[in-house]
Amino acid sequence: MNAGETQRAPWIVGVSGASGTPYAAAVLRALLGAGEAVDLVVSRASRLTLLDETGIPFRDAHWQDDLREWLARGADGKPGTFDVDVSGVRYWGAGDLAAGPSSGSYPAKGMLIVPASTACVAGVALGLSKDLLQRAASVTLKERRTLVVAVRETPLNGQTLRHLVALDDAGAAVVPASPAFYAGAVHIQDLVDFVAGRVLDAAGVGHGLYRRWQGELGGGRPDQ
């Protein structure tokens, strides 16, 4: 890096195999829209979920095309809903344990795991580092960087709850993928954007994804 050149410091976004790929897409779009650099890690299980929920494959050799098609799709499945520039994304294979995010010396602002499966939650809480997603999360915690875990499962059993408490104790922000309705949701995209917005709130990233509570009853009704 030349003197005076700004070092790239991305947000690492990990996508696990839980249902909820529209949440990940909304977070990625908002980060890129805010001018943030993104390092993307897509788990092997999440590729199956993405294919099941959208019909879109995610292939290492064609990741830019596949990512562009995925992020362009709305939560209702309609293609071409969004126009997204993915040039700010760097992709790392989930099996690449020599990747940049596997080291604490790699510059990063923090990590967002969205959606986070219970298996992913357990792996991070126990420090298993079985793939790059879990390793990057462990590095984020040890370096005292922001880690946001958007868990998407219901109901939650005692074991998973204990893992979530362990993550909270370690400094992570646990953000359940629980849409709210006070923001005046009209479409499914509104509900997805609310969760994505709360993930970004926990990371301190500005956005305009949902209408914030202003202390006025009825202020979020669609007819207001």
Side-chain angles (χ1 to χ4, degrees), residues 63-73 82 84-87:
W63 71 266
Q64 286 180 311
D65 291 336
D66 296 339
L67 178 63
R68 190 178 296 109
E69 182 181 359
W70 174 27
L71 298 190
R73 188 163 301 204
F82 300 97
V84 184
D85 180 4
V86 301
S87 60

Side-chain angles (χ1 to χ4, degrees), residues 26-27 30-31 33-34 193-202 204-212:
V27 166
L31 285 172
D193 284 347
F194 179 88
V195 171
R198 295 301 286 154
V199 169
L200 295 171
D201 287 344
V205 177
H207 65 87
L209 289 176
Y210 68 89
R211 181 186 300 170
R212 297 183 182 276

Side-chain angles (χ1 to χ4, degrees), residues 65-151:
D65 291 336
D66 296 339
L67 178 63
R68 190 178 296 109
E69 182 181 359
W70 174 27
L71 298 190
R73 188 163 301 204
D76 60 359
K78 183 179 179 181
T81 301
F82 300 97
D83 183 15
V84 184
D85 180 4
V86 301
S87 60
V89 179
R90 184 173 185 179
Y91 169 70
W92 302 95
D96 185 4
L97 291 177
S102 67
S103 172
S105 66
Y106 183 76
K109 292 183 177 179
M111 183 173 185
L112 317 176
I113 304 177
V114 53
S117 66
T118 55
C120 174
V121 166
V124 176
L126 296 173
L128 298 182
S129 296
K130 73 171 187 177
D131 61 10
L132 180 59
L133 195 158
Q134 292 183 11
R135 172 59 186 170
S138 294
V139 167
T140 301
L141 287 175
K142 81 179 182 69
E143 297 296 326
R144 301 295 190 267
R145 296 170 183 157
T146 298
L147 175 63
V148 183
V149 179
V151 60

Side-chain angles (χ1 to χ4, degrees), residues 24-25 28 52 60 84 111 115 121 159 196 218:
L28 287 165
D52 182 56
D60 286 346
V84 184
M111 183 173 185
V121 166
Q159 187 176 44

